[in-house]
Amino acid sequence: MAEPGIDTLLALTDSKYRLTVVTAKRAQQLLRYDFKNTVLNSDELPRMRTLEGEKPDPNAVTWAMQELKTGRLQIGENLIAEDRLTKYLDQMYPREVIETSD
């Protein structure tokens, strides 16, 4: 997690371990809903430099860390239960179910 602003992120939690877990869970949520549930504005979206120029960064962990730095996400105890949050997000951002033929 060699990211500029790591001190800002570490100040949000009581340990590096908790920061890692929070970031990983948020990255999973972003991937599950194809980044539609992001709290970032269009000018805050992570970008990466390539040989072809700047492009949107597809890394969900980078997105999660960027979201945490904005301060728009709450971290801690006594928040909505994860299963309730998942049901709520499923309603807001329906996912396509791909049927497999057996």
Side-chain angles (χ1 to χ4, degrees):
M1 289 185 2
E3 170 81 16
I6 191 72
D7 294 331
T8 306
L9 292 172
L10 286 171
L12 297 173
T13 63
D14 58 349
S15 70
K16 291 178 185 179
Y17 172 76
R18 187 178 304 261
L19 176 61
T20 303
V21 171
V22 167
T23 302
K25 283 188 175 195
R26 182 59 184 156
Q28 278 183 323
Q29 289 174 349
L30 289 166
L31 288 171
R32 185 179 304 132
Y33 299 104
D34 199 26
F35 296 89
K36 293 176 189 164
N37 59 330
T38 186
V39 298
L40 297 174
N41 298 323
S42 59
D43 60 326
E44 298 172 317
L45 298 178
R47 313 251 334 138
M48 64 180 196
R49 291 190 185 106
T50 67
L51 294 174
E52 292 85 29
E54 266 200 15
K55 293 185 176 184
D57 193 333
N59 188 329
V61 172
T62 304
W63 281 61
M65 291 170 63
Q66 182 74 17
E67 286 187 336
L68 289 170
K69 280 196 293 188
T70 66
R72 294 186 201 125
L73 297 177
Q74 287 187 344
I75 302 170
E77 306 297 320
N78 302 322
L79 298 175
I80 186 170
E82 199 168 340
D83 58 334
R84 284 184 51 208
L85 177 62
T86 299
K87 287 179 187 176
Y88 178 71
L89 289 172
D90 283 342
Q91 290 173 355
M92 286 183 62
Y93 308 104
R95 294 179 281 167
E96 251 184 64
V97 177
I98 300 171
E99 295 183 24
T100 57
S101 58
D102 293 331

